[in-house]
Amino acid sequence: MKRRPLYSRSGKLRTEGRSPWVAPDGINPVYAEPPPEDQEPPLRKRMAARWASFYGRRQGRVLVASSVLLTLLLIGGYEAFRPQPPDLNQSRLSAAVNYAIDHRPEAPAITSVAYAKIIPSVVRVDGYDPIEMNSSGSPNDRSAPNEPNKPHPLHSNSDLPGYENSSVGTGFVIKDDGMILTNLHVAAGAKKLRVIFADGTEANAKIVGAKPEADMAVLKPDVVPDDLKPATLTTTQGLKPGDLVEAVGFPFGIGPSASSGVVSGLRREFDEDGKSKLSNLIQFDAAANPGNSGGPLINADGEVLGIVTAILNPSGARTFAGIGFAVPIENAASGAMGESPL
């Protein structure tokens, strides 16, 4: 019995694209390639299908692992291509230090800022006494060598005929009306007082208040500049040794001059030549000399902490030896306004 030829399930003989050949029996056709739907998928497609199945089941873990791997690759790449720092030897270190010094930002010194704030309020206080005449009718020479500690006339003033400059001190404006605070020993030792403001305005002045136990006096000038600027006062609470201070005044009539230092001590006492003892003083080491008396002792912000009052020199000379004293501004201000020294 003859065998029937094999046909595809679709009812059509699958011969397109294939090369048929005849089996040895000469009856049944055999094809060199199986039908396309019966072929095994290529390797690429099989791998893609497996990856899709794996990614679908473990999507979260795959994303985390990918992120970690990418981060490690970026870090490794940065480390691989980062330029190595140069070897630091002494010459390069010196060059770097010099460069930093040469290119540092310029900033004003604290003391210069403080000085600029206080200087519009500082005044010079000159004392004048009648000119003494000798028997021949000529003025006495007050600069005789046998009187080294006697003040030499600093300058004459045409507005005060018959008087000569016998002393110099410092004060500072504390109110808009021109009221000036200074030392009592500066103001009370002369027959007439003359003050010179920061803008050059000169005026006669008189004592309108005093506090002898604090060596303080309040002066009232006859003329006041239009743009007068009072000093800013501050408390000494919290002041401690080592704090920066600055003394401003007219030492030996030169100035206004500034000298800086630190607070050396607090609550000091001072007694000179059996005179009334001063207590609760600020000790400081900013240079102060005759002429600084009555001037402000300021902090780094240009605020007045106290009034320069005395210096201590064990040798007896009237020059600075590293120890100065100032009356705290609280002591000076309380009571000085209303007490008359006369």
Side-chain angles (χ1 to χ4, degrees):
M1 182 177 180
K2 295 183 180 179
R3 294 183 180 181
R4 298 180 62 184
L6 296 176
Y7 296 94
S8 66
R9 295 177 183 176
S10 63
K12 294 182 181 180
L13 186 62
R14 300 177 183 174
T15 60
E16 297 178 358
R18 289 175 285 166
S19 301
W21 57 282
V22 180
D25 60 8
I27 298 175
N28 298 316
V30 179
Y31 295 92
E33 299 176 4
E37 60 268 21
D38 296 333
Q39 291 182 350
E40 185 179 2
L43 179 61
R44 179 175 59 82
K45 291 184 178 181
R46 296 200 308 272
M47 294 300 295
R50 291 177 182 176
W51 168 252
S53 175
F54 177 81
Y55 182 76
R57 296 193 306 270
R58 297 176 175 83
Q59 181 178 0
R61 296 181 182 180
V62 170
L63 292 177
V64 172
S66 300
S67 301
V68 172
L69 179 61
L70 179 60
T71 302
L72 293 176
L73 290 174
L74 291 175
I75 294 175
Y78 172 78
E79 292 294 334
F81 293 100
R82 182 179 61 174
Q84 296 298 319
D87 294 336
L88 187 61
N89 53 33
Q90 184 60 44
S91 61
R92 287 181 175 176
L93 178 61
S94 300
V97 172
N98 292 334
Y99 178 86
I101 293 174
D102 293 338
H103 292 80
R104 69 189 186 278
E106 294 293 336
I110 294 177
T111 50
S112 65
V113 174
Y115 178 83
K117 289 183 179 179
I118 189 61
I119 198 61
S121 309
V122 177
V123 299
R124 171 172 170 152
V125 181
D126 285 312
Y128 289 86
D129 287 326
I131 299 176
E132 298 178 2
M133 300 294 181
N134 55 28
S135 57
S136 62
S138 300
N140 286 332
D141 183 6
R142 302 186 64 185
S143 59
N146 60 342
E147 295 179 318
N149 292 328
K150 197 167 186 178
H152 178 73
L154 299 168
H155 67 274
S156 59
N157 192 302
S158 58
D159 293 339
L160 297 173
Y163 286 84
E164 62 181 358
N165 185 205
S166 57
S167 63
V168 63
T170 308
F172 54 95
V173 179
I174 57 175
K175 293 184 66 176
D176 292 332
D177 61 3
M179 193 164 292
I180 297 168
L181 191 61
T182 186
N183 281 149
L184 181 60
H185 77 263
V186 169
K191 297 297 183 181
K192 291 185 178 294
L193 296 173
R194 188 85 171 171
V195 296
I196 305 176
F197 293 92
D199 67 349
T201 301
E202 295 190 31
N204 293 327
K206 60 182 179 180
I207 302 175
V208 295
K211 188 176 183 181
E213 65 271 20
D215 192 22
M216 291 295 106
V218 178
L219 307 182
K220 179 68 174 177
D222 294 340
V223 179
V224 177
D226 294 333
D227 57 348
L228 192 61
K229 182 179 179 181
T232 301
L233 311 184
T234 188
T235 179
T236 58
Q237 292 182 3
L239 188 67
K240 55 186 179 298
D243 286 349
L244 180 68
V245 290
E246 189 171 357
V248 182
F250 294 85
F252 302 111
I254 302 172
S257 301
S259 58
S260 61
V262 298
V263 175
S264 303
L266 301 170
R267 293 178 291 278
R268 301 293 198 236
E269 294 184 350
F270 178 75
D271 184 5
E272 183 180 21
D273 299 333
K275 298 178 182 178
S276 59
K277 179 184 293 186
L278 298 175
S279 58
N280 194 34
L281 300 176
I282 303 169
Q283 180 187 338
F284 61 91
D285 69 351
N289 285 288
N292 277 109
S293 292
L297 183 72
I298 61 176
N299 60 16
D301 294 323
E303 302 167 334
V304 181
L305 293 164
I307 299 91
V308 178
T309 300
I311 57 176
L312 177 62
N313 190 332
S315 68
R318 298 178 65 247
T319 55
F320 186 66
I323 300 178
F325 298 104
V327 175
I329 193 65
E330 296 94 334
N331 292 20
S334 61
M337 295 292 185
E339 181 179 348
S340 172
L342 302 178

